[in-house]
């Protein structure tokens, strides 16, 4: 037995398997951004030169990842809902409740979109990310409300019967305090003319999902059609300030 041969560690083994998988994917190699690794506690960047040296006959993926659902050439918001959002239930339940509560279409749309940051992209500061994605396509009040629900979630408002969520106590502990930037944002939002729009997102933001509730994306297609300015070129191809975000969602493993 060669005592100099070291058994690979668990993480080395995992890397090996991952690498093998990438090779088997197709002729093209899908790459992971640094952010993807950080979620596993690692800060690392795949070295393109080494990869090329070991795989001179392969190219990196510079378009669609064949493991993900295929997107149409001119994707709509509904296409992203169907093909890129990990979960629709919470968004649909919130929007359904807003409809039931008789709110106007702007509020219903804000409820439908309030957590698209989480559903498709990233948890941290999800209200800001979500607002930025939709900003070029919705009424300013809608994106403002989506942005501000990030902060308002943490502060009660008795006037509308909104209490600090029990779920946050369960999730973050009873002693969790929002960071100063969230407190500052809340103070600003309180004085704003659209305060109640953002607050209504929180009121309709239901945490106890009823798995049997009948919610359907089709119920919101008309509201989206009337209130979301779908670009004719498709989301991601209209050169808007957030087009790159939609493209990244479409092609998350592109090399560059
Ligand atoms: Fe949220
Ligand atoms: Fe939510």
């Amino acid at each position: 037995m060669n005592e100099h041969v070291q058994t690979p560690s668990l993480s080395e083994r995992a890397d090996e398997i991952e690498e093998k998988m990438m090779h088997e994917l197709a002729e093209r190699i899908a790459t992971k951004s640094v952010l993807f690794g950080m979620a596993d506690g690692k800060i690392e960047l795949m070295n393109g030169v080494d990869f090329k040296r070991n795989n001179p006959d392969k190219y990196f993926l510079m378009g669609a990842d064949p493991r993900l659902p295929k997107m149409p050439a001119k994707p709509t918001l509904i296409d992203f809902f169907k093909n890129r959002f990990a979960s629709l239930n919470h968004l649909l339940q919130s929007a359904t409740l807003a409809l039931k509560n008789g709110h106007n279409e702007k509020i219903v749309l804000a409820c439908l979109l309030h957590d698209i940051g989480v559903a498709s992209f990233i948890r941290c500061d999800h209200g800001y990310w979500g607002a930025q994605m939709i900003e070029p396509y919705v009424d300013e009040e809608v994106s403002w409300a989506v942005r501000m629900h990030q902060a308002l979630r943490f502060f009660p408002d008795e006037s509308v019967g909104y209490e600090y969520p029990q779920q946050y106590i369960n999730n973050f502990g009873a002693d969790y305090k929002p960071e100063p930037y969230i407190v500052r944002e809340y103070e600003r939002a309180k004085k704003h003319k659209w305060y109640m729009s953002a607050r209504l997102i929180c009121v309709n933001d239901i945490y106890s999902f009823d798995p049997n509730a009948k919610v359907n994306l089709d119920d919101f297609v008309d509201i989206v059609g009337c209130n979301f300015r779908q670009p004719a070129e498709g989301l991601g191809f209209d050169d808007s300030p957030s087009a790159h975000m939609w493209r990244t969602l479409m092609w998350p493993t592109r090399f560059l």
Side-chain angles (χ1 to χ4, degrees):
M1 185 180 153
N2 184 348
E3 60 190 9
H4 298 293
V5 174
Q6 290 191 345
T7 321
S9 72
L10 210 60
S11 84
E12 282 168 342
R13 183 78 196 115
D15 289 347
E16 231 174 74
I17 293 170
E18 194 181 338
E19 198 180 310
K20 191 163 175 278
M21 218 179 73
M22 279 186 288
H23 289 271
E24 286 168 356
L25 178 66
E27 333 63 89
R28 307 235 164 211
I29 301 167
T31 48
K32 272 188 179 174
S33 296
V34 174
L35 188 63
F36 301 170
M38 279 195 215
D40 294 323
K42 294 185 276 187
I43 301 177
E44 58 188 22
L45 184 63
M46 179 191 282
N47 183 330
V49 176
D50 287 347
F51 244 96
K52 243 346 238 184
R53 193 180 301 122
N54 299 334
N55 307 276
D57 55 332
K58 302 239 182 193
Y59 293 113
F60 293 107
L61 201 62
M62 279 300 281
D65 187 326
R67 298 168 300 180
L68 296 173
K70 200 168 166 10
M71 293 290 283
K74 295 177 179 177
T76 64
L77 179 65
I78 300 293
D79 291 321
F80 277 94
F81 263 81
K82 289 178 177 167
N83 298 308
R84 286 296 182 272
F85 291 6
S87 169
L88 299 188
N89 208 28
H90 173 59
L91 295 172
L92 293 177
Q93 290 209 17
S94 296
T96 302
L97 184 60
L99 259 188
K100 223 164 77 185
N101 287 337
H103 297 303
N104 66 39
E105 293 196 350
K106 271 193 226 173
I107 300 296
V108 175
L109 183 71
C111 290
L112 183 68
L113 301 179
H114 79 283
D115 278 343
I116 61 167
V118 173
S120 68
F121 211 50
I122 195 160
R123 285 185 173 278
C124 176
D125 275 338
H126 71 285
Y128 297 94
W129 287 105
Q132 199 179 349
M133 288 167 76
I134 61 173
E135 210 141 42
Y137 314 107
V138 297
D139 190 283
E140 201 184 339
E141 183 179 349
V142 174
S143 53
W144 188 90
V146 169
R147 178 173 287 110
M148 290 303 160
H149 99 275
Q150 168 86 42
L152 295 195
R153 297 296 294 120
F154 296 99
F155 302 92
D157 182 343
E158 285 168 16
S159 78
V160 286
Y162 179 78
E163 296 172 352
Y164 184 79
Q166 177 61 40
Q167 177 145 350
Y168 284 6
I169 298 175
N170 302 344
N171 286 357
F172 314 132
D175 58 348
Y176 173 74
K177 292 266 176 293
E179 290 84 353
Y181 79 93
I182 291 285
V183 179
R184 288 197 301 274
E185 197 78 291
Y186 164 63
E187 294 298 339
R188 276 194 295 270
K190 258 198 315 192
K191 298 177 207 125
H192 199 278
K193 60 178 173 179
W194 291 328
Y195 165 76
M196 197 42 73
S197 308
R199 180 52 81 186
L200 284 175
I201 292 182
C202 308
V203 172
N204 291 284
D205 194 354
I206 34 180
Y207 279 115
S208 21
F209 309 127
D210 175 359
N212 300 316
K214 285 199 175 67
V215 285
N216 196 329
L217 185 57
D218 294 342
D219 296 345
F220 301 98
V221 168
D222 286 347
I223 289 181
V224 168
C226 294
N227 296 276
F228 187 91
R229 291 185 290 273
Q230 171 64 43
E233 306 89 332
L235 278 174
F237 302 111
D238 56 330
D239 302 333
S240 86
S242 69
H244 63 288
M245 299 175 82
W246 296 97
R247 286 195 303 271
T248 298
L249 259 190
M250 203 162 15
W251 303 319
T253 55
R254 257 177 62 148
F255 191 76
L256 288 178

